[in-house]
Amino acid sequence: MEGENAAMAPLPEAFLHFLEANGLDPSLYTAIDSTPRYIRLKPGCEACIEEVEAEVKCNLEKVEWLSGFFSLPPHVQIAGSRAYREGKIYGIDAASGAAVMALEVSPGDHVLDLCAAPGAKLCMILDLLGDSGSVTGVDAARHRLAACRTMLQKYMLGDQCRLFVADGTSFSVIPTRSRSDCESCESGSEERVDVFKEWTSRRPWKERKRAVKSGSPQLVSSSQPPEVIYYGHRSGVVGLTKGELFKTLSDNEIANKGYDKVLVDAECTHDGSVKHIQKFEHWGWRTLQRRVLDAERTDDLHALQLNLLTNGFRLLKVGGSLVYSTCRQNTLSISLTVAQNEDVVEQFLKENRAAELIEIDAARNWPCKGGCIPKTWRFDPLTSRTSGLFIAKFTKLVFSDF
Ligand SMILES: C[S@@+](CC[C@H](N)C(=O)[O-])C[C@H]1O[C@@H](n2cnc3c(N)ncnc32)[C@H](O)[C@@H]1O
């Protein structure tokens, strides 16, 4: 009820200008929210569709363009269902699923997810990876990454995964492709001390103390060293020394030993969901101006996104591919602004001569539209019936001066 009343109230002039400047239809904000909810079945759990339907008392509609995905009415809650609690289904928007599919993960790939928490895409990548390869998840928010660790455990996906609390704009840890990657592993038969043992959930007192000290949720800064908060026994961490795990390589070495695939699912701090915008009715439109439309904040966000994309690309090996996406879990997002998407892509291409924008072939069958620059794509919430997403894919060319 509250939502309906707010949805009918007129939008302030400044916000309308903002939408117009970004080619966004104001009806996004006046329409009643009818975007469906999506779930993804855990591979192997195909037989539980009827069980879920019975529990949530509605039919699951197969998403024809995205394997393993189903839509259900927006009001249906899945969190209380047995299938969800038992790790047979995931709650993940279909557009987010498309971003993962654009990566074209193959068995054996070493994948970096630079803004990984809370982990819906990371889990999907792991489900696609098969028995070899690894996934490295990085996030600057410790509490969010801890939730991601819980998710890995719930869905029993942690074996080939490692998680780092770190600033993605300066993160530098490369994948362990083989034991011979770290020369000292081969050095003689003397016993190696101080190596990472099997991961255990029992935390050493030092780490517990640090967590208590850090108190309220906060983001790590680029000056803080990365901290590994989880690693599976086939993630390439067990048996390495700290020095080997955090060894820094030159950009030339990374060109051979970097990640095969990188996902930069960049931060978009502004919550532009209808529900959030409606809150400004209560807080006042001046607050909206300050918190959402403020040019300085938008510039900061643009710089963060560009830096995340640039560092993700630095960690990619030559011939590998990187997907850049901006989306929100909330319905009807203003993450589709030009500043957060095409502008970032354009500036990145100008500054990185080894980067080439490439086609996402599968997108031709998705309910998305071309972005403002060729080969980029937008899931418009109104027409795609998803939460909205911008997506671009790059490859790394051989270039002598990167
Ligand atoms: C859009 S969310 C990612 C959603 C995630 N990929 C998923 O599928 O669940 C963006 C994430 O970026 C993280 N973030 C923000 N600034 C960051 C930074 N400098 N380095 C790494 N992560 C950052 C936020 O903590 C947030 O979890």
Side-chain angles (χ1 to χ4, degrees):
M1 265 330 246
E2 188 198 350
E4 282 177 33
N5 289 339
M8 283 184 284
L11 293 167
E13 207 53 15
F15 190 59
L16 286 171
H17 283 149
F18 172 82
L19 293 177
E20 198 187 342
N22 286 286
L24 297 173
D25 184 343
S27 61
L28 281 176
Y29 289 90
T30 50
I32 304 299
D33 182 1
S34 63
T35 307
R37 184 173 285 260
Y38 291 92
I39 60 165
R40 179 172 74 83
L41 280 185
K42 181 151 178 75
C45 295
E46 290 74 12
C48 80
I49 295 178
E50 284 174 16
E51 178 198 326
V52 182
E53 286 180 331
E55 268 197 273
V56 298
K57 297 187 183 60
C58 72
N59 288 338
L60 300 184
E61 202 175 309
K62 197 169 189 295
V63 178
E64 295 299 340
W65 54 274
L66 199 59
S67 170
F69 278 70
F70 295 81
S71 69
L72 54 171
H75 62 272
V76 176
Q77 300 294 326
I78 57 153
S81 72
R82 212 173 61 199
Y84 180 75
R85 285 199 313 270
E86 290 177 354
K88 294 177 179 165
I89 57 173
Y90 302 83
I92 172 172
D93 188 73
S96 296
V100 174
M101 291 313 288
L103 264 183
E104 296 184 80
V105 173
S106 310
D109 276 347
H110 293 281
V111 185
L112 171 65
D113 184 351
L114 205 53
C115 295
K121 297 188 191 70
L122 184 102
C123 287
M124 186 169 163
I125 294 169
L126 281 157
D127 274 330
L128 293 169
L129 188 67
D131 276 347
S132 55
S134 70
V135 179
T136 299
V138 176
D139 204 282
R142 174 185 301 276
H143 63 294
R144 285 171 65 89
L145 202 64
C148 185
R149 177 173 61 192
T150 306
M151 204 163 159
L152 286 181
Q153 288 161 335
K154 170 180 165 183
Y155 289 99
M156 292 189 291
L157 283 171
D159 257 18
Q160 290 154 264
C161 185
R162 51 189 196 165
L163 298 177
F164 293 88
V165 177
D167 184 344
T169 66
S170 56
F171 181 74
S172 242
V173 181
I174 57 142
T176 313
R177 290 186 168 272
S178 67
R179 299 286 302 173
S180 57
D181 277 354
C182 43
E183 289 120 41
S184 54
C185 299
E186 296 186 313
S187 60
S189 57
E190 80 262 27
E191 208 188 318
R192 287 157 53 77
V193 285
D194 272 348
V195 294
F196 286 94
K197 312 255 173 4
E198 290 280 327
W199 188 83
T200 153
S201 57
R202 265 187 295 137
R203 308 316 314 136
W205 73 269
K206 251 193 197 165
E207 196 181 305
R208 277 183 274 135
K209 201 170 150 199
R210 191 168 37 222
V212 171
K213 214 168 143 198
S214 67
S216 57
Q218 55 187 343
L219 296 186
V220 294
S221 74
S222 58
S223 58
Q224 283 171 270
E227 182 193 343
V228 61
I229 66 154
Y230 173 78
Y231 51 89
H233 76 276
R234 290 193 294 138
S235 65
V237 175
V238 176
L240 296 187
T241 64
K242 238 181 176 187
E244 286 161 353
L245 178 64
F246 294 108
K247 182 172 150 191
T248 46
L249 297 187
S250 69
D251 286 355
N252 274 332
E253 288 172 300
I254 292 174
N256 293 319
K257 295 182 172 174
Y259 293 89
D260 302 288
K261 308 277 160 67
V262 175
L263 175 64
V264 181
D265 188 33
E267 172 76 350
C268 18
T269 7
H270 301 152
D271 185 342
S273 70
V274 167
K275 287 192 190 81
H276 188 70
I277 294 297
Q278 284 166 349
K279 285 187 200 151
F280 290 100
E281 297 251 296
H282 175 68
W283 294 338
W285 292 111
R286 250 196 220 163
T287 316
L288 171 85
Q289 179 73 40
R290 185 162 43 82
R291 294 211 192 149
V292 179
L293 312 183
D294 179 273
E296 216 171 285
R297 274 179 68 97
T298 308
D299 285 352
D300 287 352
L301 195 55
H302 176 95
L304 172 63
Q305 290 165 334
L306 184 61
N307 291 339
L308 286 167
L309 175 54
T310 304
N311 194 43
F313 187 73
R314 186 179 70 82
L315 296 169
L316 185 68
K317 74 172 201 190
V318 164
S321 42
L322 178 150
V323 167
Y324 173 73
S325 62
T326 55
C327 66
R328 287 209 64 83
Q329 299 303 317
N330 305 308
T331 45
L332 304 186
S333 164
I334 58 167
S335 63
L336 297 178
T337 58
V338 172
Q340 285 184 40
N341 301 306
E342 282 89 341
D343 286 0
V344 171
V345 167
E346 261 175 358
Q347 196 174 340
F348 167 72
L349 286 170
K350 247 187 242 158
E351 293 171 6
N352 292 275
R353 293 205 289 149
E356 184 180 56
L357 205 46
I358 53 173
E359 291 289 356
I360 303 170
D361 294 327
R364 294 181 207 293
N365 300 318
W366 295 341
C368 54
K369 303 172 179 169
C372 299
I373 44 180
K375 299 181 189 167
T376 65
W377 296 93
R378 285 165 169 257
F379 282 81
D380 171 330
L382 282 182
T383 51
S384 70
R385 307 196 69 228
T386 68
S387 293
L389 178 97
F390 170 84
I391 187 167
K393 184 171 179 179
F394 305 87
T395 189
K396 193 177 210 170
L397 307 171
V398 184
F399 229 90
S400 52
D401 63 344
F402 59 77

